[in-house]
Amino acid sequence: MSVSALTAGNSPSHPKRIVIAGMDGCQACSVCEVRAHGICSALNDEELSQLAQAAVRVTIPPGRQFIEEGSFADEFFNITSGTVKLFKSLPDGRRQITGFVSIGHFLGLAVSDRYAFGAEAIDQVRLCRFSRERLETVIDEFPRLERRLRNEAANELVAAQDQMLLLGRKTARERVASFLYGQITDLYGDDIPQNAKLHFPMTRADIADFLGLTVETVSRTISGLRREGLIATGAGHEITVPSPSRLQIIASGEE
């Protein structure tokens, strides 16, 4: 399955964006600190150097939208730092946040020729941007990269199913616990330490929107988890989770 099977179409129009820093070719790919994350992990040094020539490094300031829902899906984005919120829009301008993604996530895969979601930087975001045409050329040369993109698409499907369960069946406490534990697994993978630390650049209003709750309910639930000793809040939007396994039990509905 090539990129053209995942997304098609091309257009000179793009959502407006501010590019603070950009250059053709990510020459620093071989020493990139997030190389082990995302699609880049599928390539060796020689292959990575060719992928780098297809990329443009971009910095997006906080609050700037860089994917516009409904526009032509002719670019792909690999996040190398920062946090992005994904959302769907209604005709009257209302938005529903559908996810938060950060380092290593690959955005832009689509089942049609247009983006099915919008994306906005929460804090300063750095990413590698690929045109559909240039990335397709690289994928034709490196089958391992194609398989990695297949995995990305499969992960998106699993995330969508998890979100349906969260919104449809879980209690407020289970939803907040699921959100926190999901952030932990995104950050640490399978090697989750005790006293795991998380930083949340998103607002509680954004979290509430994502979880289908009110801001008051999210704040009340977080306060309850703190009183139980399940989390500890610190300065700068930092949260420490003393026992991630206990949080996982709550998230799964077993407590």
Side-chain angles (χ1 to χ4, degrees), residues 5 24 35 56 58 76 90 102 116 125 131 159 166 172 211-212 220 222:
D24 288 328
R35 176 181 174 180
V56 176
V58 179
F76 305 91
L90 293 174
S102 56
V125 170
S131 71
L166 182 146
L211 297 178
R220 186 167 58 250
I222 289 176

Side-chain angles (χ1 to χ4, degrees), residues 30-106:
S30 61
V31 294
C32 177
E33 63 274 15
V34 298
R35 176 181 174 180
H37 302 275
I39 63 171
C40 299
S41 62
L43 303 178
N44 60 34
D45 288 346
E46 181 179 351
E47 294 167 339
L48 193 62
S49 67
Q50 295 187 51
L51 178 66
Q53 297 304 313
V56 176
R57 298 179 68 184
V58 179
T59 301
I60 310 291
R64 176 64 59 175
Q65 181 176 344
F66 62 94
I67 293 180
E68 182 178 357
E69 181 183 356
S71 64
F72 282 101
D74 54 1
E75 291 183 329
F76 305 91
F77 307 88
N78 191 34
I79 302 172
T80 58
S81 72
T83 305
V84 173
K85 63 181 174 183
L86 311 178
F87 56 87
K88 297 278 292 182
S89 300
L90 293 174
D92 62 5
R94 287 178 293 165
R95 301 197 308 188
Q96 169 68 52
I97 295 176
T98 58
F100 301 101
V101 293
S102 56
I103 293 173
H105 284 267
F106 190 80

Side-chain angles (χ1 to χ4, degrees), residues 37 102 105 162 178-193 196 198 244 247-248:
H37 302 275
S102 56
H105 284 267
D162 288 343
S178 296
F179 173 72
L180 294 174
Y181 190 73
Q183 296 297 305
I184 291 173
T185 56
D186 279 349
L187 180 61
Y188 294 101
D190 295 329
D191 189 21
I192 300 175
L198 300 170
L247 202 64
Q248 181 186 25

Side-chain angles (χ1 to χ4, degrees), residues 100-145:
F100 301 101
V101 293
S102 56
I103 293 173
H105 284 267
F106 190 80
L107 300 176
L109 297 178
V111 295
S112 67
D113 61 350
R114 296 178 181 271
Y115 296 118
F117 59 87
E120 179 182 305
I122 295 178
D123 50 7
Q124 181 169 277
V125 170
R126 291 186 176 89
L127 50 84
C128 291
R129 188 179 73 210
F130 304 89
S131 71
R132 180 185 64 85
E133 182 178 3
R134 295 185 74 181
L135 185 60
E136 186 176 49
T137 299
V138 174
I139 287 175
D140 286 342
E141 296 182 28
F142 307 125
R144 287 199 305 275
L145 185 58

Side-chain angles (χ1 to χ4, degrees), residues 221-244:
T221 303
I222 289 176
S223 296
L225 294 174
R226 186 172 57 243
R227 285 193 302 270
E228 295 177 60
L230 296 172
I231 64 172
T233 55
H237 305 286
E238 185 178 88
I239 289 180
T240 300
V241 182
S243 177

